[in-house]
PDB file of all heavy atoms in Angstrom:
ATOM      1  N   HIS A  22       7.027   4.704   2.196  1.00 50.00           N
ATOM      2  CA  HIS A  22       7.732   5.604   3.101  1.00 50.00           C
ATOM      3  C   HIS A  22       8.965   6.181   2.440  1.00 50.00           C
ATOM      4  O   HIS A  22       9.545   7.138   2.913  1.00 50.00           O
ATOM      5  CB  HIS A  22       8.147   4.874   4.379  1.00 50.00           C
ATOM      6  CG  HIS A  22       7.046   4.755   5.363  1.00 50.00           C
ATOM      7  ND1 HIS A  22       6.748   5.733   6.261  1.00 50.00           N
ATOM      8  CD2 HIS A  22       6.135   3.783   5.553  1.00 50.00           C
ATOM      9  CE1 HIS A  22       5.718   5.356   6.992  1.00 50.00           C
ATOM     10  NE2 HIS A  22       5.318   4.185   6.583  1.00 50.00           N
ATOM     11  N   THR A  26      12.429   8.042   6.739  1.00 77.00           N
ATOM     12  CA  THR A  26      12.470   8.178   8.190  1.00 77.00           C
ATOM     13  C   THR A  26      12.589   6.798   8.847  1.00 77.00           C
ATOM     14  O   THR A  26      12.084   5.812   8.314  1.00 77.00           O
ATOM     15  CB  THR A  26      11.202   8.889   8.694  1.00 77.00           C
ATOM     16  OG1 THR A  26      11.250   8.962  10.109  1.00 77.00           O
ATOM     17  CG2 THR A  26       9.920   8.162   8.278  1.00 77.00           C
ATOM     18  N   GLN A 107      16.513  21.985  24.212  1.00 82.00           N
ATOM     19  CA  GLN A 107      16.675  22.638  22.902  1.00 82.00           C
ATOM     20  C   GLN A 107      18.030  22.306  22.274  1.00 82.00           C
ATOM     21  O   GLN A 107      18.801  23.182  21.927  1.00 82.00           O
ATOM     22  CB  GLN A 107      16.591  24.165  23.059  1.00 82.00           C
ATOM     23  CG  GLN A 107      15.406  24.618  23.871  1.00 82.00           C
ATOM     24  CD  GLN A 107      14.274  25.035  22.999  1.00 82.00           C
ATOM     25  OE1 GLN A 107      14.423  25.877  22.130  1.00 82.00           O
ATOM     26  NE2 GLN A 107      13.158  24.395  23.175  1.00 82.00           N
ATOM     27  N   LYS A 109      18.736  20.505  19.412  1.00 77.00           N
ATOM     28  CA  LYS A 109      18.431  19.891  18.133  1.00 77.00           C
ATOM     29  C   LYS A 109      19.706  19.470  17.392  1.00 77.00           C
ATOM     30  O   LYS A 109      19.756  18.417  16.764  1.00 77.00           O
ATOM     31  CB  LYS A 109      17.649  20.897  17.283  1.00 77.00           C
ATOM     32  CG  LYS A 109      17.043  20.287  16.054  1.00 77.00           C
ATOM     33  CD  LYS A 109      16.290  21.323  15.246  1.00 77.00           C
ATOM     34  CE  LYS A 109      15.720  20.670  13.996  1.00 77.00           C
ATOM     35  NZ  LYS A 109      14.968  21.611  13.182  1.00 77.00           N
TER      36      LYS A 109
ATOM     37  N   LEU B 193       8.553  25.192  19.020  1.00 91.00           N
ATOM     38  CA  LEU B 193      10.001  24.924  18.973  1.00 91.00           C
ATOM     39  C   LEU B 193      10.461  24.536  17.571  1.00 91.00           C
ATOM     40  O   LEU B 193      11.592  24.812  17.191  1.00 91.00           O
ATOM     41  CB  LEU B 193      10.347  23.781  19.937  1.00 91.00           C
ATOM     42  CG  LEU B 193      10.162  24.050  21.425  1.00 91.00           C
ATOM     43  CD1 LEU B 193      10.353  22.763  22.221  1.00 91.00           C
ATOM     44  CD2 LEU B 193      11.137  25.105  21.897  1.00 91.00           C
ATOM     45  N   GLU B 194       9.589  23.847  16.844  1.00 89.00           N
ATOM     46  CA  GLU B 194       9.956  23.328  15.523  1.00 89.00           C
ATOM     47  C   GLU B 194       8.968  23.860  14.485  1.00 89.00           C
ATOM     48  O   GLU B 194       7.996  23.185  14.154  1.00 89.00           O
ATOM     49  CB  GLU B 194       9.868  21.789  15.518  1.00 89.00           C
ATOM     50  CG  GLU B 194      10.727  21.101  16.540  1.00 89.00           C
ATOM     51  CD  GLU B 194      12.189  21.152  16.157  1.00 89.00           C
ATOM     52  OE1 GLU B 194      12.485  21.333  14.956  1.00 89.00           O
ATOM     53  OE2 GLU B 194      13.027  21.041  17.061  1.00 89.00           O
ATOM     54  N   SER B 226       4.216  10.939   7.202  1.00 90.00           N
ATOM     55  CA  SER B 226       5.174  10.106   7.923  1.00 90.00           C
ATOM     56  C   SER B 226       6.608  10.573   7.691  1.00 90.00           C
ATOM     57  O   SER B 226       7.563   9.862   7.953  1.00 90.00           O
ATOM     58  CB  SER B 226       5.013   8.636   7.526  1.00 90.00           C
ATOM     59  OG  SER B 226       5.788   7.829   8.387  1.00 90.00           O
ATOM     60  N   ASP B 228       9.843  13.193   8.533  1.00 83.00           N
ATOM     61  CA  ASP B 228      10.374  13.644   9.827  1.00 83.00           C
ATOM     62  C   ASP B 228       9.696  14.933  10.316  1.00 83.00           C
ATOM     63  O   ASP B 228       9.709  15.227  11.509  1.00 83.00           O
ATOM     64  CB  ASP B 228      11.887  13.852   9.738  1.00 83.00           C
ATOM     65  CG  ASP B 228      12.618  12.511   9.850  1.00 83.00           C
ATOM     66  OD1 ASP B 228      12.049  11.581  10.447  1.00 83.00           O
ATOM     67  OD2 ASP B 228      13.741  12.397   9.331  1.00 83.00           O
ATOM     68  N   THR B 262       3.250   3.245  11.337  1.00 92.00           N
ATOM     69  CA  THR B 262       4.205   2.255  11.852  1.00 92.00           C
ATOM     70  C   THR B 262       3.903   0.879  11.252  1.00 92.00           C
ATOM     71  O   THR B 262       4.812   0.160  10.824  1.00 92.00           O
ATOM     72  CB  THR B 262       4.128   2.192  13.394  1.00 92.00           C
ATOM     73  OG1 THR B 262       4.418   3.495  13.895  1.00 92.00           O
ATOM     74  CG2 THR B 262       5.127   1.207  13.956  1.00 92.00           C
TER      75      THR B 262
END
Side-chain angles (χ1 to χ4, degrees):
Chain A
H22 279 275
T26 178
Q107 311 262 306
K109 192 180 179 179
Chain B
L193 294 172
E194 302 287 338
S226 190
D228 280 335
T262 301

